[in-house]
């Protein structure tokens, strides 16, 4: 992949153009979108007694997805029975005691939400058709397939069988513990996203996911295909104050940095990392920054890498319809950067900004006007970032 500037590598489509063409004739049922997700935060739901893998907690997350305007809720590990004991492959045809998947699907449907279910890949071994037929009958939208950790010939063959079988049953796919993209999302458009990245989940047990790592990932992993990083951590602290913990993990970046990742990291299925309670204030209002999460799309019509310094900071703009979105992040160094606005074309534009505030959790949200072809000066806090939305006047 070649570009005149490092940040312009995000515009490169070589991996997708070298892929085999789509093997799915009718793709009208394939819908990208954002999702609620409970695993990272430990299924936190303070208003639910004994919150965890039970119907009341799942309904709480579905309610959150509906109120946020999210298309999906991803139910992660813990919903299926394990007849041979913990640590063994789950029986993904049989929910755990008290879990009624069709009832959850119907509850979600009434709120404009659809359900994804988690499975380890060995639970599918030898019975892909049976599992996917059952999940389709339940009304499940997608499957998150986990714990593969390999990229040998046998596993690549499994990817093809999985994606083709899921397409026949109109089920969407996200693969975790996956190798990095090789263009399979072009061949099987129901393959919305994959891991192949050290994402926000590592904040539960390590100090590895720094702001500098996020910048480097934007220049590297994010240039080759969808990545299920799960942005949106709203418990923002400085690196000095950070300690790995679960439930309720923290992140070592500002809240505006987390918002910018929704633009920087491509993923047609984007799961919000945090629990519903993290996106509300103590008095029940939406927290600052949620307005951006509700509007930002997950697929794009055009991408421009507009500015940056390799490994230090980056700014990327993406267009959806008539709107442009821009995300900028920096490493552990605070800096003021000048962003060229030539990507806007012509005319005057209204810009909404979600920028770093006085603390890691605060957001400076404001609205202004800019001229296409001009420049926008942005101050990024250490470990910080900024997110923008542009509409032509």
């Amino acid at each position: 992949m070649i570009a005149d500037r490092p940040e312009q590598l995000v515009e490169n489509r070589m991996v997708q153009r070298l892929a085999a063409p789509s093997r799915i004739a009718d793709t009208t049922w394939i819908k990208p979108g954002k999702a609620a997700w409970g695993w990272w935060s430990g299924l936190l739901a303070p208003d639910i007694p004994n919150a965890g893998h039970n119907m009341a907690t799942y309904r709480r997350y579905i309610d959150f997805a509906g109120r946020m305007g999210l298309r999906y809720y991803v139910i992660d590990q813990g919903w299926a029975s394990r007849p041979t004991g913990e640590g063994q492959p789950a029986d993904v045809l049989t929910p755990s005691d008290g879990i009624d998947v069709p009832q959850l699907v119907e509850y979600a449907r009434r709120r404009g939400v659809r359900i994804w279910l988690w499975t380890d890949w060995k639970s599918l071994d030898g019975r892909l058709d049976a599992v996917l037929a059952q999940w389709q009958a339940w009304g499940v939208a997608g499957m998150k397939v986990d714990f593969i950790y390999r990229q040998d010939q046998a596993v690549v063959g499994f990817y093809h069988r999985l994606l083709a079988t899921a397409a026949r049953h109109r089920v969407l796919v996200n693969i975790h513990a996956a190798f990095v993209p090789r263009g399979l999302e072009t061949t099987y458009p129901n393959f919305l996203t994959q891991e192949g990245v050290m994402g926000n989940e590592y904040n539960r047990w390590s100090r590895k996911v720094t702001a500098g790592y996020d910048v480097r990932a934007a220049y590297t992993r994010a240039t080759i295909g969808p990545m299920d990083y799960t942005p949106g951590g709203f418990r923002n602290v400085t690196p000095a104050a950070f300690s790995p913990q679960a439930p309720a993990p923290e992140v070592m970046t500002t809240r505006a940095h987390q918002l910018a990742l929704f633009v920087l990291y491509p993923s047609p299925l984007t799961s919000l990392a945090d629990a519903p309670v993290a996106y509300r204030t103590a008095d029940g209002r939406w927290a600052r920054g949620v307005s951006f999460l509700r509007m930002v799309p997950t697929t794009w019509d055009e991408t421009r890498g507009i500015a940056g310094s390799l490994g230090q900071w980056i700014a990327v703009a993406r267009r959806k319809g008539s709107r442009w979105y821009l995300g900028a992040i920096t490493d552990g160094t605070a800096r003021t950067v000048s962003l060229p606005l030539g990507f806007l074309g012509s005319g005057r534009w209204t810009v909404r900004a979600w920028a770093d505030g006085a603390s890691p959790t605060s957001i400076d949200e404001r609205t202004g006007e800019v001229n296409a072809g001009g420049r926008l000066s942005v101050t990024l806090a250490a470990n910080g970032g900024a997110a923008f939305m542009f509409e032509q006047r």
Side-chain angles (χ1 to χ4, degrees):
M1 295 166 62
I2 299 173
D4 292 331
R5 297 265 319 151
E7 66 273 9
Q8 292 172 351
L9 287 171
V10 301
E11 304 171 19
N12 196 294
R13 299 283 298 166
M14 186 180 72
V15 173
Q16 291 71 34
R17 287 173 176 154
L18 290 176
S22 175
R23 297 179 183 176
I24 303 176
D26 176 16
T27 59
T28 57
W29 57 276
I30 298 172
K31 305 293 185 183
K34 297 187 289 287
W37 180 52
W39 181 87
W40 188 72
S41 62
L43 282 169
L44 280 179
D47 55 332
I48 303 296
N50 302 311
H53 290 288
N54 54 56
M55 294 290 281
T57 306
Y58 291 162
R59 290 191 195 102
R60 178 69 184 86
Y61 277 72
I62 291 167
D63 290 341
F64 165 71
R67 289 167 185 152
M68 278 281 287
L70 310 179
R71 176 164 277 159
Y72 299 115
Y73 170 42
V74 177
I75 301 179
D76 216 289
Q77 183 178 16
W79 70 271
S81 65
R82 290 185 179 272
T84 56
E86 193 63 33
Q88 300 300 311
D91 177 5
V92 293
L93 291 172
T94 308
S96 295
D97 291 344
I99 304 298
D100 187 325
V101 173
Q103 188 181 111
L104 286 171
V105 167
E106 175 57 22
Y107 184 87
R109 184 194 65 79
R110 295 198 300 268
R111 287 151 181 82
V113 178
R114 296 199 67 196
I115 298 295
W116 286 59
L117 294 178
W118 178 96
T119 175
D120 56 280
W121 79 292
K122 291 184 179 178
S123 297
L124 304 174
D125 191 25
R127 55 176 188 167
L128 265 174
D129 259 314
V131 170
L132 283 158
Q134 180 65 77
W135 288 21
Q136 183 182 27
W138 283 343
V140 171
M143 64 193 314
K144 182 177 180 179
V145 183
D146 208 347
F147 298 152
I148 298 182
Y149 295 122
R150 288 163 47 188
Q151 54 181 343
D152 52 77
Q153 187 176 12
V155 161
V156 173
F158 171 78
Y159 272 57
H160 282 267
R161 293 193 303 276
L162 167 68
L163 296 169
T165 306
R168 288 199 300 273
H169 292 284
R170 298 201 162 196
V171 173
L172 306 170
V173 179
N174 172 12
I175 300 181
H176 263 227
F179 54 77
V180 298
R182 300 284 190 257
L184 276 174
E185 74 277 9
T186 300
T187 310
Y188 301 98
N190 60 323
F191 188 17
L192 290 192
T193 194
Q194 62 197 99
E195 198 176 28
V197 67
M198 186 173 68
N200 252 342
E201 67 176 53
Y202 274 73
N203 286 291
R204 286 172 56 114
W205 61 81
S206 80
R207 297 181 60 90
K208 294 181 177 180
V209 183
T210 64
Y213 165 78
D214 286 348
V215 173
R216 293 189 294 275
Y219 279 105
T220 55
R221 171 62 178 83
T223 67
I224 60 174
M227 55 183 286
D228 191 20
Y229 177 97
T230 65
F234 263 38
R235 292 179 184 82
N236 314 91
V237 298
T238 64
F242 175 82
S243 60
Q245 60 188 45
E250 301 168 335
V251 294
M252 291 185 282
T253 60
T254 69
R255 187 166 295 178
H257 181 112
Q258 289 287 312
L259 299 184
L261 298 181
F262 283 79
V263 180
L264 288 164
Y265 294 165
S267 186
L269 173 74
T270 301
S271 295
L272 277 62
D274 232 321
V277 66
Y279 299 109
R280 295 279 191 180
T281 61
D283 60 3
R285 293 176 297 166
W286 290 116
R288 281 190 173 271
V290 167
S291 54
F292 181 81
L293 296 184
R294 297 180 76 177
M295 71 172 62
V296 65
T298 64
T299 57
W300 307 98
D301 299 322
E302 188 176 354
T303 294
R304 300 283 185 88
I306 63 168
S309 178
L310 183 63
Q312 297 179 2
W313 70 278
I314 188 170
V316 172
R318 300 186 195 265
R319 180 179 61 82
K320 182 69 171 182
S322 61
R323 287 179 171 179
W324 279 93
Y325 295 80
L326 188 152
I329 59 172
T330 185
D331 57 11
T333 300
R335 62 186 84 238
T336 297
V337 299
S338 180
L339 306 180
L341 301 180
F343 63 90
L344 293 175
S346 62
R348 288 189 63 76
W349 293 70
T350 298
V351 55
R352 290 183 64 183
W354 293 261
D356 288 324
S359 70
T361 57
S362 62
I363 292 280
D364 181 9
E365 186 173 344
R366 56 189 184 274
T367 302
E369 291 185 13
V370 294
N371 287 316
R375 300 187 77 88
L376 183 64
S377 179
V378 180
T379 298
L380 306 174
N383 312 296
F388 303 87
M389 189 272 288
F390 299 85
E391 289 184 295
Q392 192 156 31
R393 289 180 56 80

